[in-house]
Amino acid sequence: MKNIILIAAPSAGKGTIASLLKEEYNMTHISTGDILREKANENSPLGRDIKYKINNGIFVDDDLIINILKERIQKEDCNNGYILDGFPRDIAQAEIYQKILNEIGKDIGIVIVIDVSLENALKRITGRVTCPNCKRVYNTNIESIKPLVEGVCDDCKEKLVKRVDDNAETYMDRYNTYIEKTSPLIEYYEKQNIVYHVDGNVSVDYTYKQVKEILGEKND
Ligand code: AMP
């Protein structure tokens, strides 16, 4: 499978789409946010610094994220294609990423942009809960991805948790950072003719259907 970079505003559904792709195509889901949240639990100055940044919607240092990414995409489970969720976050990261790809001989693949209105994203943020174990994302405001039992992961029965940064106030900072720093990546990758848009406003099924159509075309 082609590697995929998912670009979308926070809580647009990147994690949900990545989980579906992982299940159906055995692709590897790399969420830099998830990796950083694990590191933030370490009781060390670095762990505390990461936790502060995540909780306040501030980007962690490029060096740290690039090192994590470079190591991760060279693992064997990435050979069948991987999905990047949360990286690259700005043009500087995209440029370094391209250098890494050239160095290790991997292809950039395609970029899928999930378009979602601010109104819908805000609605979703209040209902998002995640399994700390398998990282599956649920949403109590969306019927099709509600957990079967409230507060419990369908798969591993872990207690679901809400992210500290998932509140309306922090959300607007994260959203504005997305518009200012991350969304210019769309134009950056359009110049390489690798960008595809899907409508993320309707339902998970509808978004996923559009993603599969794109993959069908690209992997024939
Ligand atoms: P996410 O789960 O993608 O919403 O990311 C949560 C938080 O992790 C962000 O608000 C940043 O603090 C940090 N983060 C995730 N990915 C990156 C990245 N590529 N570069 C810098 N910081 C990141």
Side-chain angles (χ1 to χ4, degrees), residues 70-88:
K70 186 172 179 185
E71 196 185 309
R72 185 66 190 87
I73 60 172
Q74 292 187 78
K75 292 205 171 148
E76 214 189 318
D77 64 352
C78 288
N79 292 344
N80 184 42
Y82 56 86
I83 308 147
L84 290 181
D85 161 5
F87 180 94

Side-chain angles (χ1 to χ4, degrees), residues 15-16 19 128-131 135-139 145:
T16 304
S19 303
R128 176 158 73 176
V129 277
T130 316
C131 173
K135 315 291 181 221
R136 184 166 163 188
V137 182
Y138 298 87
N139 200 303
I145 53 167

Side-chain angles (χ1 to χ4, degrees), residues 20-199:
L20 293 169
L21 288 170
K22 178 178 170 183
E23 202 169 306
E24 183 161 355
Y25 298 102
N26 194 27
M27 295 177 80
T28 294
H29 175 197
I30 303 176
S31 155
T32 44
D34 281 348
I35 297 172
L36 291 169
R37 276 183 285 279
E38 298 249 311
K39 288 206 178 288
N41 285 332
E42 287 167 17
N43 188 15
S44 64
L46 179 64
R48 284 189 285 277
D49 179 53
I50 295 174
K51 186 176 254 168
Y52 174 79
K53 287 184 168 141
I54 292 177
N55 290 352
N56 291 286
I58 303 166
F59 287 179
V60 305
D61 299 347
D62 279 355
D63 283 355
L64 172 70
I65 200 81
I66 303 281
N67 283 334
I68 291 174
L69 208 270
K70 186 172 179 185
E71 196 185 309
R72 185 66 190 87
I73 60 172
Q74 292 187 78
K75 292 205 171 148
E76 214 189 318
D77 64 352
C78 288
N79 292 344
N80 184 42
Y82 56 86
I83 308 147
L84 290 181
D85 161 5
F87 180 94
R89 209 77 167 193
D90 58 18
I91 305 255
Q93 289 188 1
E95 285 173 344
I96 305 173
Y97 179 50
Q98 190 54 56
K99 280 195 192 127
I100 295 173
L101 291 174
N102 296 345
E103 215 178 288
I104 62 177
K106 276 191 189 279
D107 187 53
I108 183 115
I110 59 171
V111 174
I112 298 182
V113 182
I114 307 175
D115 294 310
V116 169
S117 68
L118 172 59
E119 193 192 350
N120 281 332
L122 265 173
K123 251 187 242 160
R124 287 174 199 172
I125 204 87
T126 55
R128 176 158 73 176
V129 277
T130 316
C131 173
N133 183 42
C134 71
K135 315 291 181 221
R136 184 166 163 188
V137 182
Y138 298 87
N139 200 303
T140 52
N141 295 340
I142 304 173
E143 208 48 51
S144 63
I145 53 167
K146 261 187 181 172
L148 295 172
V149 177
E150 199 189 321
V152 181
C153 178
D154 296 356
D155 300 328
C156 44
K157 313 298 172 210
E158 276 284 329
K159 192 167 175 281
L160 299 173
V161 292
K162 192 166 170 54
R163 284 170 49 170
V164 181
D165 56 344
D166 276 355
N167 59 71
E169 193 191 322
T170 311
Y171 185 81
M172 279 321 295
D173 288 341
R174 289 161 62 208
Y175 182 81
N176 290 334
T177 304
Y178 167 77
I179 296 293
E180 190 192 322
K181 303 218 163 125
T182 310
S183 70
L185 282 173
I186 301 171
E187 204 185 320
Y188 173 86
Y189 284 125
E190 265 164 0
K191 293 194 184 115
Q192 300 178 32
N193 275 323
I194 54 170
V195 176
Y196 298 83
H197 285 262
V198 294
D199 180 358

